[in-house]
Amino acid sequence: MAVDFWSVIGSNAVTSRADIEVAVAQVEQRLRALDPSDLVSFQDQLERNLDALDLSALASIPVELAGGLVLEQTADHFLYARCACLLAGRDEVRGVLESSERFGDFVAPRLQSAEALLYLARTEHQRRTGEPMG
């Protein structure tokens, strides 16, 4: 049976670093219940969902820093902002795809720790099998 990506992700508040930490911990806990093949499936779905958000309209949304400084997103910043968007859940992703301005909520520097989502399934797979995920 294929893993339901959005059931593992859930729907999370992602307005602060603390929110990201809680969301990541919840996803990590759900991944522990999956078998290794489902971890691979989750990782594949994660990559497909990140790719679906890899849009120039989203990448062009600027980052506003404290003090009013405005910068373009770097490639890494954009990737981590997409992770934060995914952590917010399916409905939020759909909303961003319908209205790119909504992605501005995820480019905040305080949400960059959403990067951790990239490594959860791979780390759990390695922990359980002793082998890196292929």
Side-chain angles (χ1 to χ4, degrees):
M1 183 171 88
V3 63
D4 180 357
F5 177 81
W6 293 111
S7 290
V8 175
I9 291 292
S11 179
N12 304 283
V14 291
T15 59
S16 69
R17 182 179 303 271
D19 288 345
I20 295 291
E21 289 172 4
V22 167
V24 166
Q26 290 174 344
V27 171
E28 185 174 33
Q29 187 66 32
R30 291 181 195 115
L31 288 172
R32 287 188 180 134
L34 301 180
D35 65 39
S37 65
D38 284 339
L39 292 169
V40 172
S41 176
F42 175 86
Q43 187 68 31
D44 290 344
Q45 291 177 62
L46 173 63
E47 291 168 9
R48 282 196 301 276
N49 280 288
L50 287 169
D51 287 347
L53 291 170
D54 191 1
L55 304 170
S56 60
L58 303 180
S60 66
I61 294 174
V63 179
E64 294 184 35
L65 301 176
L69 184 60
V70 177
L71 302 171
E72 292 182 14
Q73 292 183 70
T74 64
D76 284 345
H77 189 104
F78 180 47
L79 175 59
Y80 307 156
R82 288 182 283 152
C83 288
C85 184
L86 290 180
L87 282 172
R90 181 188 312 187
D91 290 342
E92 192 60 37
V93 170
R94 286 180 179 160
V96 163
L97 291 172
E98 291 172 7
S99 177
S100 60
E101 303 84 41
R102 290 176 66 168
F103 191 71
D105 294 341
F106 303 105
V107 302
R110 69 184 177 277
L111 303 182
Q112 290 290 285
S113 60
E115 170 191 9
L117 179 61
L118 297 171
Y119 314 110
L120 295 177
R122 290 183 185 282
T123 300
E124 182 62 18
H125 185 277
Q126 174 119 20
R127 185 185 71 77
R128 289 236 222 107
T129 66
E131 299 289 326
M133 188 181 286

